[in-house]
Amino acid sequence: MSNKPDPADELAGTEQPFVQHLMELRDRLLYCVYGLAVCMALLAIWPGPSGLIDLIAVPIRAHMPPDAKLIAVGVFSPFFVPIKVLGMAAVLMSLPWLMYQMWAFVAPGLYSHEKKFAMPLIVVGSLLAYIGIGFVQFFVLDKMFGFIQQFTPASVAATPDIASYVEAILSLYLAFGLAFQVPIVVILLVRLNMVSIEKLKEFRGYFIVLAFVIAAVVTPPDVISQLALAVPMCILYELGIWGARWFTKASAAPDAPSDRTDPS
């Protein structure tokens, strides 16, 4: 019995020792830390922690009295809250770099036709995350706070604490940034043969219910933010099905038989 590698397998003989994998992982993690540090330094210079706080406070300040300001209840809030916002902004700024390091770590185990389409997924995933966060900042927060302020009694001064406000909007940023990755998840599930496009279409009704359940859990108890999360998730699910059909054919191995079943 011959032990020669299959010449058709381009990854044959490229296996690396476990220690070498750990060293590669260490290097990639260090590159991530360096990228975060550079982004934090740049953001600390401009617009600075105060400028970032002013930016994320725009949606709620628009629904507060003209001279009203957010308050800092905690003793250390004026220091730690801007640092937290600076760190989160650095993560968002360096997101493509972080995702590239993840891709570079797994790239040696991918075939050439898979590497060709890994980078577009990284770019699209980063873009979707930015779109989700921008959607929160420029649409959801304004509508949500406008809805909430309608229920504030005239005898109550709505002056939120900066720490609780930042925590609330960061959770929304995270929720929408992850929710907008639905097309990427659908494409990967199909590409890895974990589920078929036909099964995804059959699951469509269940996903709509699941999307509204997730929105009810991760968003504040107002109908505006819940609809703003659930409806885009349903639309992105449909886009993911369409993208999976195209991506699976485009990223298939050159000699792999194509699926000619029309899922539409």
Side-chain angles (χ1 to χ4, degrees), residues 75-241:
V75 176
F76 301 105
S77 294
F79 174 77
F80 285 115
V81 171
I83 296 299
K84 179 187 292 187
V85 173
L86 180 65
M88 187 64 183
V91 171
L92 295 178
M93 183 177 178
S94 62
L95 184 60
W97 172 254
L98 300 178
M99 297 185 71
Y100 170 77
Q101 296 306 320
M102 295 173 57
W103 173 84
F105 178 70
V106 302
L110 301 177
Y111 292 99
S112 58
H113 64 278
E114 294 174 332
K115 294 179 182 179
K116 180 180 178 181
F117 293 94
M119 189 56 67
L121 285 181
I122 293 176
V123 174
V124 173
S126 301
L127 181 60
L128 287 173
Y130 289 139
I131 292 175
I133 294 171
F135 184 61
V136 173
Q137 178 68 22
F138 299 106
F139 177 78
V140 176
L141 292 179
D142 179 69
K143 301 300 182 183
M144 183 181 71
F145 291 131
F147 177 80
I148 293 175
Q149 289 296 328
Q150 294 178 0
F151 296 91
T152 303
S155 59
V156 176
T159 53
D161 171 46
I162 182 62
S164 61
Y165 173 73
V166 168
E167 183 178 351
I169 66 170
L170 289 184
S171 64
L172 285 176
Y173 289 160
L174 180 62
F176 277 76
L178 292 177
F180 273 57
Q181 302 302 309
V182 167
I184 303 299
V185 174
V186 171
I187 290 173
L188 290 177
L189 288 176
V190 174
R191 185 63 186 85
L192 296 175
N193 296 321
M194 298 180 65
V195 67
S196 66
I197 294 178
E198 288 75 14
K199 291 295 183 182
L200 288 173
K201 294 183 66 177
E202 294 175 2
F203 188 73
R204 181 184 289 127
Y206 298 99
F207 182 84
I208 294 175
V209 176
L210 179 62
F212 278 89
V213 171
I214 293 175
V217 172
V218 303
T219 60
D222 66 282
V223 66
I224 301 296
S225 58
Q226 292 176 6
L227 289 175
L229 180 61
V231 173
M233 285 182 66
C234 297
I235 296 174
L236 291 169
Y237 183 80
E238 295 298 325
L239 292 177
I241 294 177

